[in-house]
Amino acid sequence: MRIVNELVDIPYRRFAYAYDRMMSNVDYDRWVRYMVELFEYYGPMPRRVLDLACGTGSIAIPLAQRGFQVTGIDRAPEMLEVAEKKAKRAGVSVEWRVGDMRNFTVEDPFDAVLCLYDSINYALTREELEAVFESVHRALVPGGLWIFDVTTEHNIVEHFHGETFSENHPDFTYIWKNVYLRTEKICRTELTFFLRNESGSFDRYIELHLQKIFEVGEIKRSLDRTGFHLLSAFDAWTFSKHRRDSDRINFTARRRED
């Protein structure tokens, strides 16, 4: 075994190789159905949709299959390479672009922007959070929908803090360590990958993931400051108000008219 990188600079670059297999238990179809239900509930039904921090396209591709015109943005090119191959196999056209959710730009505004699976938690300060919201504001038509979710402190403390997960596969092994820093409200995740190389031996890579916990009130104030009207903060995949024990909260906001 040789150590190729002690620490990968951008999360999800090596994760991309095994991401879909590691996340095979995630019900993406449920997520897609929920997005469409939210579109129908708040209206009007969007035509052009931006999937921000789209990863390997597990949301973007099914949306494209349903007839939406979809663009996916992610800052890890390796994730987008996987997404492009998946889209080709699915027979759909999705525009894939490398970009950071904190400072991306688009040529033509979208009817709706999505950012799912706690990607928003990667904004580590209020300033970064509002930078995301400002970028989304510029990317939306007036009245456009902004839909995103966050993981909660309850979820991290109950299911991840102090836990280590690992799996062995013929071509890769991973070790997933989690620590929650309560004072900073930061979840620190260290992912160590052992990936089989062309010679048959394994290379080791380490990715550090940091996620910030934001309270609902903080998010509402930041939305208001950046030109959005909060429509709802639901317990994920429902139309019920979030609870103290919610593991994930889904926010829907509308860009205010100019």
Side-chain angles (χ1 to χ4, degrees), residues 153 156-157 160-162 178-188 211 213:
E153 186 170 62
I156 296 300
V157 171
F160 293 97
H161 174 58
N178 303 276
V179 175
Y180 182 55
L181 309 174
R182 292 175 185 266
T183 303
E184 296 88 348
K185 289 196 171 185
I186 294 285
C187 182
R188 186 183 190 276
Q211 290 184 283
I213 299 300

Side-chain angles (χ1 to χ4, degrees), residues 151-163 165 178 180 182 187 244-247:
T151 193
T152 65
E153 186 170 62
H154 178 270
N155 186 38
I156 296 300
V157 171
E158 290 296 315
H159 305 299
F160 293 97
H161 174 58
E163 297 292 335
F165 309 98
N178 303 276
Y180 182 55
R182 292 175 185 266
C187 182
R244 290 176 61 87
D245 63 348
S246 292
D247 286 339

Side-chain angles (χ1 to χ4, degrees), residues 88-241:
K88 287 181 179 178
R89 289 197 299 269
V92 295
S93 175
V94 177
E95 180 184 358
W96 307 109
R97 292 178 48 186
V98 177
D100 191 307
M101 65 181 183
R102 295 165 296 186
N103 58 14
F104 72 96
T105 59
V106 299
E107 292 75 25
D108 299 309
F110 291 82
D111 304 313
V113 178
L114 314 177
C115 189
L116 303 176
Y117 211 170
D118 56 67
S119 296
I120 286 293
N121 293 98
Y122 281 86
L124 298 180
T125 64
R126 191 195 77 182
E127 290 75 19
E128 287 193 359
L129 180 69
E130 292 186 5
V132 176
F133 291 174
E134 288 166 357
S135 294
V136 171
H137 187 275
R138 292 191 297 268
L140 275 171
V141 299
L145 288 177
W146 168 216
I147 302 175
F148 62 94
D149 64 55
V150 298
T151 193
T152 65
E153 186 170 62
H154 178 270
N155 186 38
I156 296 300
V157 171
E158 290 296 315
H159 305 299
F160 293 97
H161 174 58
E163 297 292 335
T164 298
F165 309 98
S166 63
E167 281 189 12
N168 289 306
H169 296 266
D171 55 338
F172 75 93
T173 293
Y174 74 83
I175 303 170
W176 182 322
K177 297 181 179 180
N178 303 276
V179 175
Y180 182 55
L181 309 174
R182 292 175 185 266
T183 303
E184 296 88 348
K185 289 196 171 185
I186 294 285
C187 182
R188 186 183 190 276
T189 300
E190 185 178 285
L191 273 166
T192 302
F193 295 97
F194 300 88
L195 306 182
R196 188 182 295 276
N197 57 37
E198 293 180 356
S199 69
S201 62
F202 287 83
D203 296 332
R204 185 180 78 170
Y205 301 89
I206 299 175
E207 290 189 0
L208 179 62
H209 295 245
L210 299 175
Q211 290 184 283
K212 173 76 171 178
I213 299 300
F214 292 100
E215 301 297 332
V216 172
E218 293 178 277
I219 292 172
K220 184 179 186 304
R221 288 189 292 273
S222 289
L223 285 168
D224 186 64
R225 280 192 290 264
T226 53
F228 289 95
H229 172 61
L230 178 62
L231 300 174
S232 58
F234 289 146
D235 191 39
W237 305 297
T238 77
F239 286 79
S240 301
K241 184 180 178 181

Side-chain angles (χ1 to χ4, degrees), residues 3-19:
I3 300 175
V4 176
N5 281 316
E6 184 63 25
L7 187 64
V8 177
D9 55 349
I10 298 178
Y12 293 99
R13 300 197 71 167
R14 290 298 170 182
F15 202 171
Y17 175 81
Y19 184 84

